[in-house]
Amino acid sequence: MTDPVRIAHLYAREMNIYGDHGNVLALAQRLRWRGYEAEVVEVNRGDALPDRLDLVVGGGGQDSGQDLVESDLLSRGTDLRAMADDGVPMLVVCGLYQLFGHAFRTSDGRVLRGVGVLDLETTAGSGRLIGNVVAHSGAFGDLIGYENHSGRTTLGTDAQPLARVGRGMGNNGTDHTEGARSRNVFGTYLHGALLPKNPALADHLIGLALERRHGAVQLRPLDDRVTEQARRVAAGRPR
Ligand code: GLN
């Protein structure tokens, strides 16, 4: 029996809106359906990071939630950057996506410092970018989700866009990019929850985690027919 696949869920209390917790559930359940044990470890403010981590997941939150976690997250910066360099797969959504970059300038003029795992910066704009999103990613098909953010994110040269916006605003509403990726770290504005609606990305993260431990793996396909139906409905919703 191998050790369980260990998923760290960052700040489940403060950074967890629009169903982002579903990302953790989707990863754990898709592992279990394939016969792997999955262990979810909540990492809240002040908690030690478990010594061996296979996946790191974090969600979105209000600016006030970001305020609460900023200093704790900064204290983990060295560890998180080392883990990212070591190829640990990570998914961060919206509020934590912003704080995984270099900085977030809020609409009231404060600067929340980020951990710089992703090469990007965010500045709040005058209006919020809200609505359903369809974004075209080459590798994972259309990413379907929901966005609600004031932040406009600009990628630096070390981050690649995760997808190109078809419907919606994405990173900033102007350059048509959505999300970012660098090494095995993925950031996005998409709630939904994202991974239950986008199983190709969920399985990519799972594959990366398993490969780091066991070498190349062939993931058994799952029956995603209900998910496919949900994706079709979601993709057809008005903005
Ligand atoms: N507070 C951030 C913003 O409005 C993030 C919002 C979110 O996580 N949905 O840009």
Side-chain angles (χ1 to χ4, degrees), residues 15 17-18 20 59-66 93-98 104 106 112 122-124 128 146-152 189 191:
M15 304 300 288
I17 51 172
Y18 307 122
D20 287 340
Q62 315 295 336
D63 293 8
S64 55
Q66 292 172 296
V93 178
C94 203
L96 278 181
Y97 170 44
Q98 295 168 346
F104 172 38
T106 66
L112 300 182
T122 305
T123 302
R128 296 190 71 80
Y146 171 78
E147 64 184 333
N148 183 352
H149 51 107
S150 67
R152 274 64 163 168
Y189 272 112
H191 306 278

Side-chain angles (χ1 to χ4, degrees), residues 36-175:
Y36 295 94
E37 269 190 69
E39 180 191 359
V40 177
V41 181
E42 279 199 17
V43 178
N44 288 301
R45 287 180 286 164
D47 292 344
L49 273 180
D51 52 1
R52 186 189 55 70
L53 280 179
D54 297 295
L55 282 154
V56 175
V57 180
Q62 315 295 336
D63 293 8
S64 55
Q66 292 172 296
D67 275 341
L68 291 172
V69 304
E70 178 196 12
S71 64
D72 186 274
L73 183 65
L74 284 174
S75 75
R76 304 179 192 279
T78 306
D79 286 342
L80 290 170
R81 286 188 297 274
M83 285 165 57
D85 288 341
D86 201 29
V88 175
M90 306 186 190
L91 173 71
V92 281
V93 178
C94 203
L96 278 181
Y97 170 44
Q98 295 168 346
L99 294 185
F100 264 51
H102 303 298
F104 172 38
R105 288 173 191 76
T106 66
S107 51
D108 53 11
R110 288 168 309 119
V111 178
L112 300 182
R113 288 165 301 156
V115 280
V117 171
L118 289 167
D119 183 19
L120 53 90
E121 287 200 347
T122 305
T123 302
S126 51
R128 296 190 71 80
L129 308 178
I130 305 173
N132 294 310
V133 179
V134 179
H136 313 303
S137 86
F140 317 111
D142 280 356
L143 296 178
I144 293 168
Y146 171 78
E147 64 184 333
N148 183 352
H149 51 107
S150 67
R152 274 64 163 168
T153 296
T154 310
L155 306 191
T157 50
D158 284 346
Q160 288 76 49
L162 175 59
R164 191 169 172 77
V165 174
R167 172 144 37 99
M169 295 295 169
N171 281 332
N172 47 54
T174 54
D175 70 9

